[in-house]
Amino acid sequence: MEVGFLGLGIMGKAMSTNLLKHGFKVTVWNRTLSKCDELVEHGASVCESPAEVIKKCKYTIAMLSDPCAALSVVFDKGGVLEQICEGKGYIDMSTVDAETSLKINEAITGKGGRFVEGPVSGSKKPAEDGQLIILAAGDKALFEESIPAFDVLGKRSFFLGQVGNGAKMKLIVNMIMGSMMNAFSEGLVLADKSGLSSDTLLDILDLGAMTNPMFKGKGPSMNKSSYPPAFPLKHQQKDMRLALALGDENAVSMPVAAAANEAFKKARSLGLGDLDFSAVIEAVKFSRE
C-alpha cells in the first residue's frame, strides 16, 4: 500500500516512520523540505508540493499544526486541490475545528475525491509506538480502506459518522486533558508551597482512584521543571480555545475549561509555547510569586 504523508512535525515524523517500518511505501512532503531527509534514510520518497504527493498516491494523510496550516495545504498554490480527483482519498489527521473539516471536505468531494477526518488522541510516545486512538469521520468506504494504515498508527480506530464529528470529539478529549493538567499543576504547586513533598503526592495519586498515565508520565519531570515537548503547549492552548468555541456554539457552560485556557494563555505569554503542555505548571507558579 502506497501512502502520501503531508507534515513532518513531532507527530507526523513518528507516524510516517511507523508506516515505513511496517512495509508501506511512503511519499512525504513538509513545508521545510530538509525535515524529509531522515524519512528518506528510512526509505521514503519526497515531493516538493502537496499537489505532487496527491498526484502520485491514491491515499494521502495530512498531519498539520492547526486549522490555518490544514487549509493552506489544501487551498494554496501547489496544494491538494490541484491534483485531487476521482479515485483519490485524502485523510486529514490534524486537530482542527469542525468548520475547517467541513470546508476541506466540501472542496475535496467537489473535485471527485473522498475525504476522512481522523484526528488522533495521543502525543509523541504513542505516535512512536503505534498506540494512537483515531477518531475518524466522513467517507465510510475510505475509512475501511485505510484500516491497514490505521492499525499501524493506532491501537483503536473509531468511526464517528459525518464529517465534523471527529473534530468535535478530539476537541472534547483535549479540553478534558488540558483541564486535568491545569488542576494537576495546581495540586503539585500547592503541595510544595504547603511544605509537602510533591513526589509523595504523585505516589498517593498513583495508588488511588485518580491514577492515570498522564499524571504518572508527566509528574516526575514536572517536579524537576523539565518539559521536553511531546505535545507542545501552544497546540494545547489552541485546542482549548477551539473547544470553548464549540461550547459557545452549543450553549454549554465550561468554566473549568475556560479557567484552564487562561492558564495556558499565561504560559504562552511567558514564552513556553514550544515546550510540553505540562509546562503550564510554570504559569501556576508565576501566579503565586
Side-chain angles (χ1 to χ4, degrees), residues 253-280:
S253 176
M254 296 164 57
V256 174
N261 183 50
E262 291 302 314
F264 283 103
K265 282 198 289 186
K266 181 63 179 178
R268 286 189 68 183
S269 76
L270 295 173
L272 306 175
D274 290 325
L275 299 181
D276 190 72
F277 80 114
S278 56
V280 71

Side-chain angles (χ1 to χ4, degrees), residues 1-23:
M1 185 175 181
E2 185 168 6
V3 177
F5 208 103
L6 310 179
L8 299 177
I10 290 173
M11 298 293 287
K13 178 183 172 183
M15 294 163 71
S16 52
T17 299
N18 260 344
L19 291 170
L20 286 164
K21 287 179 178 178
H22 284 81

